[in-house]
């Protein structure tokens, strides 16, 4: 599998307007691509805080930053819990906060939780410990009402065949409950028209994305994170967020706009910053990336 390629690295780090003695938080440490760049700008009295829901990212980060010049604190956790993470570190305010949303390619296959439609695994899709979640992916498929399933697929996946897929899901579970990813893939293939199966993206992509967002409550986590992060910024501090999904971008755009109307801060760029043609040629994932930046007054 190809390693994760960091998107908008120069643009995002520049947007943070880093001072060498600042407190900088990367709420989605991942492969430390942005973080390495940030840490290189911090001196001995600077503090870098890295957060990730994925323990593996934190373990890798500990190796990466073992000899950093500045102070480095890395924590496993959901960014929606940024308040308690900062409280534990006795930090009240930060100079800059970055979030690069989504997940790394490494997380999608072979971890046994059914994120990929290409590997037959149990339909779980939780990023944290499944026992701490209200429901996992197969619970949605086996227990939720047809209209609720349709709404998840349409609202979170923008799946144009949400109605047909939801109907086929309900018909199938009456015979046999869903257990693995391939159970779902075969139902999607039955439900959608053949032109869709020959399309640019796999017919299962949007359904899998929608279930993952629902299980991990990703939109609510994002909104929570944005509100709490802005509260933790110093005057003149910056929050930079990279999204890959139109609904996520809308959440960021509206919240930044509302906060600027309320004179809490200003939107730094009226239009989102997007990747250059060269970057997209190098890394097709960068195509849908949008960077928005907010500065607190
Ligand atoms: C796109 S990657 C970040 C890549 C990183 N910026 C880099 O350059 O290597 C997104 C990371 O955010 C983490 N993540 C996603 N949602 C999260 C959440 N709600 N709380 C904490 N971490 C989250 C994922 O585990 C993943 O490692």
């Amino acid at each position: 599998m190809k390693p994760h390629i960091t998107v908008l690295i120069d643009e995002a780090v520049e947007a943070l307007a880093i001072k060498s003695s600042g407190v900088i938080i990367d709420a989605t440490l991942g492969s430390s691509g942005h973080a390495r760049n940030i840490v290189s700008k911090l001196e001995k009295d600077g503090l870098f805080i890295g957060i990730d829901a994925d323990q593996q990212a934190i373990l890798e980060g500990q190796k990466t930053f073992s000899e950093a010049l500045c102070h480095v604190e890395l924590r496993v956790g959901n960014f929606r819990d940024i308040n308690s993470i900062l409280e534990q570190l006795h930090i009240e305010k930060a100079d800059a906060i970055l979030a690069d949303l989504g997940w790394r390619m490494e997380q999608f296959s072979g971890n046994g939780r059914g994120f990929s439609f290409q590997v037959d695994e149990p339909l779980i899709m939780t990023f944290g410990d499944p026992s701490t979640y209200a429901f996992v992916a197969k619970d949605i498929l086996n227990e939720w009402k047809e209209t609720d399933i349709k709404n998840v697929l349409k609202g979170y996946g923008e799946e144009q065949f949400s109605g047909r897929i939801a109907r086929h899901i309900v018909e199938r579970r009456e015979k046999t409950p869903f257990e693995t990813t391939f159970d779902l893939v075969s139902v999607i293939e039955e439900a959608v028209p053949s032109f869709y199966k020959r399309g640019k993206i796999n017919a299962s992509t949007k359904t899998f994305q929608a279930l993952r967002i629902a299980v991990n409550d990703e939109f609510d986590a994002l909104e929570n994170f944005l509100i709490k992060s802005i509260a933790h910024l110093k005057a003149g501090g910056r929050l930079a967020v990279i999204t890959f999904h139109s609904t996520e971008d809308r959440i960021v755009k509206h919240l930044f706009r509302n906060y600027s109307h309320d004179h809490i801060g200003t939107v730094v760029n009226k239009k989102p910053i997007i990747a250059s043609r060269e970057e997209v040629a190098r890394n097709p994932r960068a195509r849908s990336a949008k960077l928005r930046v907010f500065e607190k007054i």
Side-chain angles (χ1 to χ4, degrees), residues 45-249:
D45 48 355
L47 169 62
F48 173 78
I49 300 170
I51 301 169
D52 204 293
D54 179 9
Q55 188 174 23
Q56 188 56 32
I58 298 298
L59 293 175
E60 288 166 22
Q62 277 159 352
K63 278 197 207 129
T64 304
F65 298 119
S66 60
E67 292 182 11
L69 185 60
C70 65
H71 300 280
V72 174
E73 296 284 354
L74 304 179
R75 293 289 182 275
V76 179
N78 193 309
F79 55 51
R80 75 188 305 157
D81 301 322
I82 190 165
N83 282 357
S84 54
I85 295 171
L86 293 184
E87 205 175 303
Q88 281 162 22
L89 293 167
H90 307 289
I91 297 293
E92 218 173 288
K93 299 278 181 197
D95 293 279
I97 304 176
L98 171 69
D100 170 21
L101 300 178
W103 308 91
R104 295 190 288 162
M105 290 310 292
E106 292 89 324
Q107 297 170 301
F108 281 104
S109 50
N111 74 355
R113 298 216 178 140
F115 288 112
S116 168
F117 46 77
Q118 287 166 338
V119 201
D120 199 20
E121 289 176 346
L123 277 162
I124 298 170
M125 296 199 192
T126 63
F127 278 104
D129 174 359
S131 69
T132 63
Y133 280 66
F135 52 84
V136 301
K138 68 175 179 186
D139 299 330
I140 298 179
L141 303 170
N142 290 329
E143 292 166 20
W144 288 24
K145 282 198 290 211
E146 184 178 331
T147 47
D148 293 339
I149 296 174
K150 176 178 175 227
N151 290 340
V152 164
L153 302 189
K154 193 162 179 54
Y156 293 165
E158 292 167 346
E159 171 54 67
Q160 61 174 307
F161 297 109
S162 55
R164 290 164 69 148
I165 297 173
R167 187 158 9 98
H168 276 75
I169 286 172
V170 171
E171 280 166 14
R172 137 99 203 201
R173 78 184 184 200
E174 275 159 17
K175 290 176 233 137
T176 346
F178 285 89
E179 286 299 335
T180 73
T181 44
F182 282 7
D183 297 341
L184 179 58
V185 169
S186 64
V187 167
I188 296 168
E189 305 247 312
E190 269 167 40
V192 301
S194 54
F195 82 83
Y196 197 57
K197 286 185 262 186
R198 294 192 303 268
K200 231 168 54 195
I201 65 160
N202 189 293
S204 294
T205 303
K206 293 185 171 181
T207 296
F208 273 66
Q209 171 188 293
L211 292 172
R212 193 202 78 213
I213 290 172
V215 167
N216 295 287
D217 198 15
E218 292 182 26
F219 295 159
D220 196 56
L222 171 60
E223 188 152 2
N224 251 282
F225 162 74
L226 296 174
I227 294 169
K228 292 174 182 169
S229 291
I230 293 174
H232 280 294
L233 282 180
K234 291 181 188 167
R238 291 210 170 171
L239 170 62
V241 184
I242 302 172
T243 61
F244 294 86
H245 186 290
S246 58
T247 309
E248 283 175 342
D249 182 55

Side-chain angles (χ1 to χ4, degrees), residues 6-9 12-13 26 32-38 98 100 242:
T6 298
V7 301
L8 293 170
I9 187 157
V13 175
D26 184 342
S32 296
H34 291 106
R36 260 190 291 268
N37 200 320
I38 294 168
L98 171 69
D100 170 21
I242 302 172

